[in-house]
Amino acid sequence: MLNAKIPAGPLEQKWTKYKGTVKLVNPANKRKLEVIVVGTGLAGASAAATLGELGYKVKAFCFQDSPRRAHSIAAQGGINAAKNYQNDGDSVYRLFYDTIKGGDYRAREANVHRLAEVSTNIIDQCVAQGVPFAREYGGLLSNRSFGGTQVQRTFYAAGQTGQQLLIGAYQALERQVALGNVKMYSRHEMLEVVMIDGKARGIIARDLVKGTLERHFGHAVLLCTGGYGNVFYLSTNAMGSNVTAAWKAHKRGAAFANPCFTQIHPTCIPVSGDHQSKLTLMSESLRNDGRIWVPKKQGDKRKATDIPEEERDYYLERRYPAFGNLVPRDVASRAAKERCDAGYGVGSSKQAVYLDYADAIQRYGKAEASKRNLGNISAEEITQLGKDVVKEKYGNLFDMYEKITGENPYETPMRIYPAVHYTMGGLWVDYELMTTIPGLYALGEANFSDHGANRLGASALMQGLADGYFVIPYTLGNYLADEIYSKAIETSHPAFAEAEKEVAERIEKLMSIQGKQTVESFHKRLGKIMWDKCGMARNKEGLEWAIQAIRDLKKEFWSDVRIPGKVNEMNPELDKANRVADFIELGELMCIDALAREESCGGHFREEHQTEEGEALRHDESFMYVSTWFHEGEHNWKLEQEPLMYDVVKPSQRSYK
């Protein structure tokens, strides 16, 4: 039976009461306890740094050559916090409410409220670390809007917020490395969880340079390994991002929650051909000032700049007047797909819409001219002033777009289309971020807990840092307080030997197949199945077909994949094969979960369940729960339901009109 361990009492007092009554570990005992942190993105780096600072003996692992290469670095637009610096009506409650509503009422109230509470601390922490957030002329921190909100609460550093926040966390981590509190293992990939007496007690990791397997003990293991968007092959994720650590934990007994909840980001550079291995995100912050439109005439082949204003359909502003271009990501993505499917798409593929900055450039230009008291100046000068302002706010994003497409977005509208981005599903965790395996925790995007069926923009960085800096130090201590008498277990223990043997046998099996097809070809085929049948829209017939197709693909993979090279050496193809094998199994579970959830909510859009206006239609009476899956053997999972109780927010049909 699932126990979320949600503290009693009023919602706004749960976290305060928990912190005040939680069990503690004294400093002398912390030095005796070992913690393993897998992944060093924002969640992992902040957790490892904080736990090291507290005095625990920490081992941190990443498959990259440096923690600074973690995919958190790619986040662009910003990080949310309920500071209300703009005095525009923001509050902890409003951030909590927007997150619950944005997630289509499929998130846990207690976890989300805690996230909103600690959001304000995150900004202070990062400013103290020297993160160069954008500031107003007078020196105050600047904010901008993001989708799904009507206030400005997003703090940012141009279009490279993730990079700056990661550098802050990395500095804190490296300080602990220098002090000897954290031992860093880069170019190491976790391939198994070691269980002893029903608890997570370590991991088996592969040294990706030497190809050797290593055993590592820990009194607790923290998985901070990000999301699984690369199951679709093409996504905004780094090519190395994978599900392997979480999937190994799942097959050892950790429940996987809401795997079908995938976020499609509406603002990406469209696919240009079969040669691509990933897609490029254009920050959602661009929807602040950019206007999204398509021609009113189907199949219009004119250049964007040749289409007059009256022949443009600003469809988000038309359909959702209250939020306009700042509707949540799932709503914006489906609206773009609907327009393209109806024949109004633009570009050579007709699978794109326009994101236009012409109005913003004029607006900023006039404001700048007025500010400088320039009087009667030419239209060209106003345009140039506006471009300068836009360049200051979004310049690196515009430069990136031009470098990739060869088009100048200051002169002609960008072309964008939705792409796989974030995954709201992940390992099931309770209020303390512990999985169903005692001693095994999941932080950040690796867990399911805070975003429901759709993540609001700028909340990923918020959750990762909240979990690492402000949540896990308390909740982990509550568990480790009972472990102070548990001595470190030698890695010669039979459980370590057995786990290493299983990993080695799997690797040998992969290498021995010596088939004809590349790992990449299987990944591409899996991605096409997932995108076509479990992407922006799903239906019963398609999902049933996909489940069988993935099972057939798995059989083919394990009989005909070819992996060159050897085991005990640097072998990226072997690394990739391990990850793709896990993606294939995950893909099957995602489709099973999507098939079982007979409703539409957030990023999960079942075509059979929609309103007359084409919006997502939830069925709260039947599906107000977290889908929690336990692995019971090949092609076999058992579903358990964690009911979602809403004591403060009353679920209703989402409306952004």
Side-chain angles (χ1 to χ4, degrees):
M1 184 67 185
L2 296 166
N3 178 10
K5 298 182 190 169
I6 298 170
L11 184 65
E12 65 278 6
Q13 295 175 21
K14 289 182 188 295
W15 181 233
T16 302
K17 183 180 178 184
Y18 177 91
K19 288 189 295 180
T21 56
V22 73
K23 286 184 274 191
L24 301 176
V25 181
N26 82 44
N29 284 330
K30 286 188 179 112
R31 291 192 288 271
K32 302 173 188 173
L33 295 167
E34 299 181 40
V35 181
I36 288 173
V37 178
V38 183
T40 52
L42 284 180
S46 59
T50 306
L51 295 174
E53 183 86 42
L54 286 171
Y56 293 105
K57 291 161 68 176
V58 180
K59 290 181 181 178
F61 295 79
C62 69
F63 67 75
Q64 299 93 342
D65 53 9
S66 163
R68 285 185 61 175
R69 298 295 298 275
H71 187 59
S72 301
I73 205 168
Q76 298 170 349
I79 176 170
N80 288 330
K83 285 287 200 183
N84 194 31
Y85 282 172
Q86 304 298 319
N87 199 29
D88 57 358
D90 200 12
S91 64
V92 166
Y93 178 83
R94 194 172 293 278
L95 174 52
F96 156 73
Y97 174 79
D98 286 346
T99 307
I100 290 285
K101 178 184 175 184
D104 218 351
Y105 306 96
R106 291 295 177 264
R108 221 190 255 149
E109 271 195 341
N111 287 63
V112 176
H113 197 278
R114 175 176 65 188
L115 179 66
E117 285 180 68
V118 303
S119 69
T120 56
N121 299 338
I122 296 169
I123 302 304
D124 297 338
Q125 170 91 2
C126 295
V127 169
Q129 288 175 341
V131 173
F133 286 121
R135 294 178 181 268
E136 304 289 359
Y137 179 76
L140 299 176
L141 294 180
S142 183
N143 293 114
R144 56 190 179 201
S145 299
F146 254 66
T149 72
Q150 290 180 306
V151 298
Q152 295 185 75
R153 65 162 67 99
T154 305
F155 295 78
Y156 63 98
Q160 49 185 239
T161 314
Q163 179 179 359
Q164 300 302 332
L165 290 173
L166 186 62
I167 289 171
Y170 171 75
Q171 288 174 162
L173 172 61
E174 287 302 310
R175 178 172 180 269
Q176 296 307 312
V177 171
L179 290 171
N181 298 328
V182 177
K183 187 164 185 184
M184 190 68 227
Y185 294 85
S186 57
R187 302 299 291 165
H188 280 67
E189 183 160 28
M190 176 195 136
L191 294 180
E192 191 57 272
V193 178
V194 178
M195 304 272 293
I196 299 176
D197 298 329
K199 296 179 179 179
R201 288 301 195 199
I203 65 170
I204 304 298
R206 183 166 183 267
D207 182 324
L208 299 181
V209 177
K210 298 175 184 174
T212 52
L213 297 178
E214 298 177 2
R215 308 172 185 182
H216 295 276
F217 166 80
H219 288 91
V221 177
L222 278 53
L223 300 184
C224 312
T225 49
Y228 49 87
N230 276 352
V231 68
F232 291 88
Y233 185 69
L234 285 180
S235 81
T236 65
N237 286 231
M239 288 176 64
S241 298
N242 63 82
V243 76
T244 288
W247 196 249
K248 299 308 184 196
H250 172 56
K251 294 184 80 171
R252 282 284 177 185
F256 212 100
N258 296 335
C260 78
F261 285 169
T262 306
Q263 180 167 79
I264 314 292
H265 197 293
T267 319
C268 298
I269 296 177
V271 176
S272 60
D274 290 338
H275 63 282
Q276 282 181 273
S277 55
K278 77 177 297 292
L279 296 173
T280 303
L281 173 69
M282 298 305 294
S283 170
E284 184 180 325
S285 62
L286 293 171
R287 291 200 280 148
N288 269 296
D289 292 313
R291 299 179 71 194
I292 295 171
W293 62 276
V294 292
K296 287 184 178 178
K297 188 171 76 174
Q298 288 179 320
D300 198 325
K301 294 183 179 177
R302 289 176 291 176
K303 290 181 180 178
T305 48
D306 293 339
I307 300 175
E309 188 71 18
E310 62 273 13
E311 294 180 37
R312 301 179 177 189
D313 177 17
Y314 295 93
Y315 59 90
L316 289 177
E317 298 171 33
R318 169 172 57 81
R319 289 177 59 177
Y320 309 102
F323 282 72
N325 295 296
L326 286 173
V327 291
R329 290 173 176 178
D330 61 313
V331 177
S333 294
R334 277 198 302 278
K337 180 180 188 296
E338 184 275 328
R339 287 291 80 192
C340 291
D341 290 351
Y344 297 94
V346 302
S348 56
S349 68
K350 300 301 178 188
Q351 292 294 300
V353 298
Y354 288 127
L355 175 62
D356 196 338
Y357 259 73
D359 282 2
I361 287 170
Q362 292 303 309
R363 186 176 72 252
Y364 282 128
K366 289 172 183 174
E368 196 67 14
S370 178
K371 189 165 74 178
R372 299 184 188 185
N373 196 25
L374 295 178
N376 294 323
I377 61 170
S378 68
E380 290 77 13
E381 288 174 298
I382 287 176
T383 299
Q384 188 54 53
L385 287 171
K387 285 179 181 177
D388 291 343
V389 174
V390 169
K391 186 175 182 62
E392 187 177 335
K393 293 184 77 169
Y394 307 105
N396 63 311
L397 297 172
F398 278 57
D399 293 344
M400 187 167 67
Y401 181 87
E402 185 169 10
K403 191 174 289 187
I404 291 170
T405 65
E407 298 174 2
N408 183 346
Y410 295 101
E411 304 293 339
T412 186
M414 297 182 194
R415 284 175 290 108
I416 57 168
Y417 193 70
V420 173
H421 181 50
Y422 188 93
T423 49
M424 286 78 65
L427 292 177
W428 184 91
V429 293
D430 59 23
Y431 188 74
E432 297 183 320
L433 304 184
M434 192 190 290
T435 68
T436 50
I437 296 176
L440 182 70
Y441 294 78
L443 283 65
E445 192 179 357
N447 75 37
F448 87 99
S449 68
D450 292 11
H451 305 298
N454 171 59
R455 176 177 69 80
L456 291 184
S459 288
L461 307 184
M462 175 173 65
Q463 187 207 350
L465 292 180
D467 287 355
Y469 282 137
F470 299 109
V471 178
I472 200 66
Y474 290 95
T475 63
L476 182 64
N478 193 45
Y479 171 74
L480 291 178
D482 295 329
E483 296 294 321
I484 57 175
Y485 300 110
S486 301
K487 289 193 169 66
I489 298 170
E490 293 294 329
T491 54
S492 57
H493 188 284
F496 279 93
E498 181 60 28
E500 183 181 329
K501 181 168 170 279
E502 288 178 20
V503 172
E505 286 175 351
R506 175 184 164 97
I507 289 173
E508 287 297 338
K509 186 179 177 184
L510 279 168
M511 295 298 294
S512 68
I513 297 168
Q514 291 300 304
K516 296 185 176 67
Q517 300 183 60
T518 64
V519 177
E520 191 83 350
S521 67
F522 281 105
H523 196 180
K524 274 189 177 181
R525 286 165 61 191
L526 173 66
K528 180 162 176 48
I529 294 168
M530 294 301 296
W531 178 248
D532 289 348
K533 306 302 181 185
C534 195
M536 266 199 281
R538 303 103 186 256
N539 60 57
K540 184 174 186 286
E541 182 183 359
L543 290 166
E544 288 174 343
W545 178 89
I547 291 166
Q548 187 56 52
I550 293 169
R551 288 174 179 171
D552 293 342
L553 187 70
K554 179 179 179 179
K555 192 174 177 183
E556 193 178 340
F557 175 89
W558 283 98
S559 62
D560 199 32
V561 72
R562 180 173 182 81
I563 305 167
K566 297 175 184 175
V567 173
N568 291 320
E569 65 181 16
M570 189 170 181
N571 190 341
E573 281 300 297
L574 174 57
D575 305 336
K576 193 189 299 181
N578 264 312
R579 297 165 188 169
V580 171
D582 294 332
F583 275 139
I584 291 171
E585 294 180 1
L586 167 70
E588 181 182 349
L589 179 59
M590 289 173 70
C591 292
I592 289 170
D593 185 42
L595 183 62
R597 189 168 282 276
E598 290 269 5
E599 66 167 351
S600 292
C601 55
H604 169 63
F605 191 75
R606 281 287 295 268
E607 292 173 345
E608 306 94 324
H609 304 282
Q610 53 184 299
T611 66
E612 291 180 3
E613 297 174 319
E615 304 294 345
L617 181 61
R618 295 195 325 269
H619 298 307
D620 291 346
E621 67 286 354
S622 304
F623 293 97
M624 187 77 87
Y625 61 76
V626 178
S627 296
T628 309
W629 298 91
F630 289 85
H631 186 260
E632 295 201 323
E634 187 167 13
H635 309 309
N636 187 17
W637 285 271
K638 182 181 77 172
L639 173 65
E640 285 194 25
Q641 301 171 4
E642 181 205 335
L644 290 168
M645 314 301 291
Y646 288 96
D647 299 323
V648 175
V649 177
K650 185 175 175 8
S652 59
Q653 180 67 33
R654 276 196 311 170
S655 174
Y656 292 95
K657 296 184 176 183

